[in-house]
Amino acid sequence: MAHTIHDMIDRFAMIGATPGGGVRRLTGSTEDGVVRELFVTEAQARGAEIHIDRIGNTFATFRLAPGSDTAVLTGSHLDSQPTGGRFDGALGVIASLLAAESVAERLKQSGAVARHNLTVVNWTNEEGARYQPSLTGSSVFIGTMPLDRALAMQDRNGIKLADELDRIGFRGTEDWPLRPVHYLELHVEQGGRLEAEEIEIGLVHESWSTAKLTIAFLGEPSHTGPTPMPKRRDAMRAAAFAITRFHEVMDEAARDRLFHWSAARIVVEPDSPNVVASRVTVWFEIRNRDEATVRDMGQRFLAAIRPEVARQQIGLEMVAEEVRPRIRLDAAGLKVLGAAAQSLGKTTLDMETITGHDALAVQSGMPGTLFFVPSVGGLSHNEAEFTKPADIENGLAVMEAALWQMVLRPEGERLPNGSVDPLPEPTV
Ligand SMILES: [Zn+2]
């Protein structure tokens, strides 16, 4: 099994491989289609049955409990950032598939009776690189994003997600026919804590909150040559000011509290060197563990730019304003996972996730459990992202042990949120 997983990761990483050793598999691209096909082929070869839903989520079900309509769901995502790492998402899907296969074999050999079926899922557009917002497939599945809105999302060239899913043959027509009792996800850490503390498994208790503000600066197109300077309404100039001010405001706030923030995407219209920009859209993100705090910082930032932007006679349009709440992951699942890691002699660390994950997106509708293995140097969304073979094997082993418990145990009551102690406030 150890050999199989490395081999399998290599084969998946060949699809959309980049010269820098990473992958480029944007949602709905040809590469996304090819990697999905490989997932389906590998799942069917292991005896799983496939369902593809209307947003392209792909479910591979091992019928471990044929008389039951319930399933433990496990997986992650196969799409990537434009210069993504080979383990981000793919590790979770591949480990889930191999773990599910071995749970099925072990059931046959032991004669134990499973209470639930076991389904491996590849969620559509986790990354949100080509289509925003991210976590699309899992959010549609759990009902927090309308299907129509998701299918109508357009990339920067106006190409709809629905059309791309059609093109690659992954816009399904059916619902996954089972009812999930639990969701389990393995992911690479995307940070350096596990490596620094020499810990093998990260048990994720809760997430940070994120405010995502997409703001358009509205000016007027004019010739960059003859137009007199006082007559220009330059949206680029206002956007540049706002980005600089954003970093100043956040730098100041970060003296007292731990924040992560970025302005990482910009779209300029009409996007010609000879036309003063008439519309510039910038994607801002503010992350902190506390939801009220990220909301407040969003307001403080807007207040800090409004007067100068107005003075430049530039309009402000809030294109999208999304606040992802701080989410506490399922306590009962954490206990199963912690016991699984302990039974295998793996070291564990209770931690938070700063990044969004499908396990957080589905949490509103089912208990979700998320765990990490170390990323070397904490590198992520980078072609050089790397997780050591031994850490991959640890993740797979813990996943197998946890899934084994989860398919056997009765559908549990959710422990109240308070039953896991909150983690201490991180230091700046
Ligand atoms: Zn990921």
Side-chain angles (χ1 to χ4, degrees), residues 76-77 79 87-90 126-127 185 187-188 190 355-358 380-381 385:
S76 196
H77 62 96
D79 68 320
F87 301 102
D88 182 349
E126 189 273 350
E127 292 286 6
E185 180 167 357
H187 203 280
V188 291
Q190 306 180 290
T355 51
H357 290 286
D358 293 307
S380 173
H381 288 181
E385 172 218 285

Side-chain angles (χ1 to χ4, degrees), residues 11 115 120 152 157 159 196 251 275 402 407 410-411:
R11 283 202 291 133
R115 285 192 155 86
V120 180
N157 297 316
I159 301 172
D251 275 335
V275 183
V407 297
E411 194 170 342

Side-chain angles (χ1 to χ4, degrees), residues 76-77 81 88-89 126-127 134-135 185-192 204-212 260 262 285-289 324-327 329 351-361 370-373 375 378-381 385:
S76 196
H77 62 96
Q81 292 291 331
D88 182 349
E126 189 273 350
E127 292 286 6
S134 58
L135 307 174
E185 180 167 357
L186 163 64
H187 203 280
V188 291
E189 184 196 353
Q190 306 180 290
V204 182
H205 281 228
E206 47 205 333
S207 69
W208 279 24
S209 179
T210 307
K212 300 191 176 206
H260 288 188
S262 64
E285 283 189 7
I286 303 169
R287 298 173 194 250
N288 175 272
R289 67 192 331 233
R324 298 216 162 138
R326 172 177 175 79
I327 289 172
L329 285 143
M351 58 192 300
E352 299 175 317
T353 176
I354 299 176
T355 51
H357 290 286
D358 293 307
L360 302 170
L370 174 66
F371 71 111
F372 290 156
V373 290
S375 307
L379 212 56
S380 173
H381 288 181
E385 172 218 285

Side-chain angles (χ1 to χ4, degrees), residues 98-113:
L98 294 178
E101 180 188 22
S102 61
V103 165
E105 273 168 22
R106 190 168 154 194
L107 272 173
K108 258 186 227 155
Q109 282 162 15
S110 69
V113 178

Side-chain angles (χ1 to χ4, degrees), residues 7 38 105 118 144 200 207 229 236 244 254 266 269 282 303 311 313 330 334 339 361 383 411 424:
D7 191 55
L38 179 60
E105 273 168 22
L118 183 51
T144 51
E200 291 162 315
S207 69
M229 295 310 289
M236 181 81 96
T244 303
I266 185 163
E269 294 165 67
V282 185
R311 195 195 62 75
Q313 295 184 288
D330 177 61
L334 272 175
E383 292 165 284
E411 194 170 342

Side-chain angles (χ1 to χ4, degrees), residues 374-393:
S375 307
V376 173
L379 212 56
S380 173
H381 288 181
N382 185 307
E383 292 165 284
E385 172 218 285
F386 185 70
T387 290
K388 291 178 186 158
D391 289 319
I392 289 169
E393 289 160 29

